[in-house]
Amino acid sequence: MNRARIYHRAQQVLPSVIETSGMQRFAMSQGQLECMLLSLLVRCETHGAVVLQLSDDAADAIRRDGLAYFEGATVARGALSRRGPARYAAWRRSPLPEEWGRAEAAPGLWPGVGHVDVGAGMGRRLSKAWQDGAYYTQERAGGAWLVVLPDERLVVYSWWD
């Protein structure tokens, strides 16, 4: 599948203040990937995760401004469905909610979406989200969550329909 298209679609679910510079990894089955790309045409259930590289400028600004950086960043820059752009709850600082699971229990898996496999190395990096230094929000409709790890220069968008 075309990584550039996946990256472009992933950027659409982010609020505009979250600048990225590339895609690190995505984790979903081929069927889920097709469903995601055709979501405007057909309705199907999907779950997965996309890990993006946070831009250097954004990472520096988040480290400098902390939670204030995310003030008002509650609407996605684009829409992936007829429902319009994703709307997010107010941003919070880690630790992430317990109900989202624990990444350190299985370092190659990203919990919360049917244990999506993101690879052992990436899973260890993502487990920092349960420690200090991460910022997160959840889509108001409850179908997705977004975590920003400025020290790791990573953005994780995870969804489940």
Side-chain angles (χ1 to χ4, degrees):
M1 188 40 62
N2 184 336
R3 286 179 61 91
R5 180 154 180 181
I6 294 168
Y7 176 60
H8 173 73
R9 286 183 62 85
Q11 286 182 305
Q12 297 306 301
V13 300
L14 303 177
S16 60
V17 299
I18 301 175
E19 301 167 5
T20 61
S21 58
M23 184 171 65
Q24 289 280 317
R25 191 165 178 93
F26 62 93
M28 63 196 89
S29 72
Q30 184 61 32
Q32 291 166 338
L33 183 58
E34 290 167 1
C35 226
M36 179 184 82
L37 293 174
L38 298 173
S39 66
L40 293 173
L41 303 175
V42 297
R43 178 70 181 136
C44 49
E45 292 189 14
T46 64
H47 70 274
V50 178
V51 182
L52 304 169
Q53 186 72 40
L54 185 64
S55 75
D56 292 343
D57 290 342
D60 292 344
I62 294 166
R63 278 203 231 48
R64 182 184 62 244
D65 299 339
L67 195 56
Y69 180 84
F70 298 98
E71 182 93 17
T74 57
V75 178
R77 60 171 56 101
L80 296 182
S81 74
R82 286 177 238 127
R83 294 182 304 231
R87 299 197 180 280
Y88 296 100
W91 284 81
R92 297 178 181 207
R93 192 174 164 101
S94 59
L96 273 64
E98 287 292 326
E99 62 268 19
W100 287 9
R102 288 259 181 218
E104 58 269 15
L109 301 177
W110 187 247
V113 290
H115 283 15
V116 172
D117 184 359
V118 294
M122 184 63 68
R124 279 191 282 288
R125 289 178 73 188
L126 295 176
S127 69
K128 290 187 126 209
W130 274 266
Q131 301 167 13
D132 191 37
Y135 300 88
Y136 70 94
T137 186
Q138 186 168 8
E139 188 180 20
R140 287 187 186 161
W145 46 264
L146 186 55
V147 178
V148 176
L149 298 133
D151 292 341
E152 292 290 322
R153 296 187 190 274
L154 294 175
V155 176
V156 179
Y157 175 76
S158 186
W159 73 93
W160 59 95
D161 293 331

